[in-house]
Amino acid sequence: MEANTRSTGRLPAAFLTPGSSSFMDFLSDHQPELLPGKRTLPQVQGVIEAPHGTTIVAVTFPGGVVLAGDRRATMGNVIAQRDIEKVFPADEHSAVGIAGTAGLAVEMVKLFQLELEHFEKVEGAQLSLEGKANRLSTMIRSNLGMAMQGLAVVPLFAGYDLDRERGRIFSYDVTGGRSEEHNFAATGSGSVFARGAMKKLFRDDLTEEEATTLVVQALYDAADDDSATGGPDVARRIYPIITVITDDGFRRLTEQEASELSRAVLQRRLEEPDGPRAALL
């Protein structure tokens, strides 16, 4: 919504009227056509071809949670992009990993970031992690019409709960249904293979380093069996996006750190092609 101040030098009344702390509610009242779920799509036959992103994984450890994603986007049987970013900070203590229609998913994440920032400015306090998960659920539900036309967005939400002092993971379906996952979770086309790897490697006493290694192992296994998931690409220097969320906040591993983790996993696989037998390292 644009604030045209050329004629009167004042903001429109909508910007100055007290209302809901939800930015989505503000748009719904004053300019609903800007919301992704309110747009009218052209009539087409069949499913709309658009770049899709997969795979996202998350795992908790005693100090927080790790959220990671591969870098490949596909459009049918074609690789649409090799270095797409699928993991974004939502705020200081939470992050979102996107799977599904890439363009809509990125737009939804940006709207979600703005939603959390708007709430904090209006209320003077942060939403609880549970409240953030509920807000994201509402956004996904508003996209149901597009999901029915093949433009689904299915994110994975993770964060550090300051009240419970631990990392938590939330998964969603296309209708906005929300479920809290325990220990680890995955979404996207390679999620079945990634989840199987995490099930074998997860322990309650993982260190942060072991948790980051675990997610790279899981993404490697997913890429090994799912063509839509991209594994570490040493030749192009494209590595998974790995983020860690703790009491200190959100941190994305540097490219050098992601490279070292990926190369260590690849070296281990050269030594043990069928995967690690017992330990992560």
Side-chain angles (χ1 to χ4, degrees), residues 21-89:
S21 58
S22 169
F23 186 74
M24 284 189 65
D25 290 346
F26 176 78
L27 280 184
S28 295
D29 291 339
H30 301 288
Q31 212 158 346
E33 68 276 8
L34 294 180
L35 291 170
K38 298 291 185 180
R39 293 172 185 163
T40 302
L41 293 179
Q43 295 296 323
V44 295
Q45 296 294 328
V47 177
I48 299 173
E49 285 290 343
H52 281 66
T54 56
T55 298
I56 306 298
V57 297
V59 61
T60 60
F61 64 97
V65 60
V66 176
L67 182 67
D70 79 304
R71 305 294 297 277
R72 179 174 292 178
T74 58
M75 190 163 57
N77 66 327
V78 176
I79 297 176
Q81 188 174 344
R82 299 181 187 274
D83 61 350
I84 188 173
E85 296 198 6
K86 306 177 188 177
V87 180
F88 305 89

Side-chain angles (χ1 to χ4, degrees), residues 4-270:
N4 184 1
T5 59
R6 293 181 180 178
S7 57
T8 63
R10 297 182 179 181
L11 289 171
F15 287 85
L16 304 174
T17 304
S20 170
S21 58
S22 169
F23 186 74
M24 284 189 65
D25 290 346
F26 176 78
L27 280 184
S28 295
D29 291 339
H30 301 288
Q31 212 158 346
E33 68 276 8
L34 294 180
L35 291 170
K38 298 291 185 180
R39 293 172 185 163
T40 302
L41 293 179
Q43 295 296 323
V44 295
Q45 296 294 328
V47 177
I48 299 173
E49 285 290 343
H52 281 66
T54 56
T55 298
I56 306 298
V57 297
V59 61
T60 60
F61 64 97
V65 60
V66 176
L67 182 67
D70 79 304
R71 305 294 297 277
R72 179 174 292 178
T74 58
M75 190 163 57
N77 66 327
V78 176
I79 297 176
Q81 188 174 344
R82 299 181 187 274
D83 61 350
I84 188 173
E85 296 198 6
K86 306 177 188 177
V87 180
F88 305 89
D91 65 1
E92 186 180 356
H93 288 94
S94 62
V96 184
I98 59 172
T101 307
L104 286 178
V106 171
E107 187 176 37
M108 185 177 292
V109 168
K110 290 180 179 178
L111 184 59
F112 183 52
Q113 292 169 331
L114 188 56
E115 174 83 354
L116 298 184
E117 184 178 351
H118 182 78
F119 179 92
E120 186 174 350
K121 287 180 177 179
V122 172
E123 298 293 338
Q126 283 190 351
L127 268 172
S128 66
L129 192 66
E130 195 92 19
K132 297 171 191 175
N134 289 336
R135 291 289 175 101
L136 184 55
S137 179
T138 301
M139 288 186 177
I140 299 169
R141 189 175 300 114
S142 69
N143 190 59
L144 184 57
M146 290 191 175
M148 298 299 291
Q149 299 187 55
L151 301 177
V153 176
V154 189
L156 202 60
F157 177 65
Y160 185 83
D161 193 320
L162 295 172
D163 297 324
R164 302 190 185 187
E165 298 183 342
R166 62 181 178 88
R168 300 173 68 187
I169 305 168
F170 298 89
S171 63
Y172 300 85
D173 59 37
V174 294
T175 67
R178 191 207 76 181
S179 301
E180 181 170 2
E181 305 288 345
H182 300 285
N183 302 330
F184 55 84
T187 189
S189 64
S191 60
V192 174
F193 311 108
R195 191 178 293 112
M198 291 189 289
K199 184 182 294 184
K200 290 184 293 183
L201 298 173
F202 179 81
R203 302 195 317 268
D204 290 330
D205 60 347
L206 290 172
T207 65
E208 179 180 318
E209 182 181 358
E210 289 172 336
T212 53
T213 303
L214 187 153
V215 297
V216 176
Q217 293 272 21
L219 289 172
Y220 182 98
D221 279 0
D224 196 38
D225 289 296
D226 174 44
S227 62
T229 304
D233 191 334
V234 177
R236 296 184 177 88
R237 298 180 182 179
I238 300 173
Y239 305 102
I241 295 176
I242 307 166
T243 63
V244 180
I245 312 164
T246 65
D247 187 25
D248 294 328
F250 172 94
R251 179 174 72 89
R252 173 173 167 171
L253 269 63
T254 65
E255 185 175 342
Q256 179 63 30
E257 290 174 312
S259 169
E260 291 174 358
L261 277 173
S262 299
R263 289 174 183 272
V265 169
L266 291 173
Q267 181 61 37
R268 184 65 180 272
R269 290 308 176 96
L270 288 175

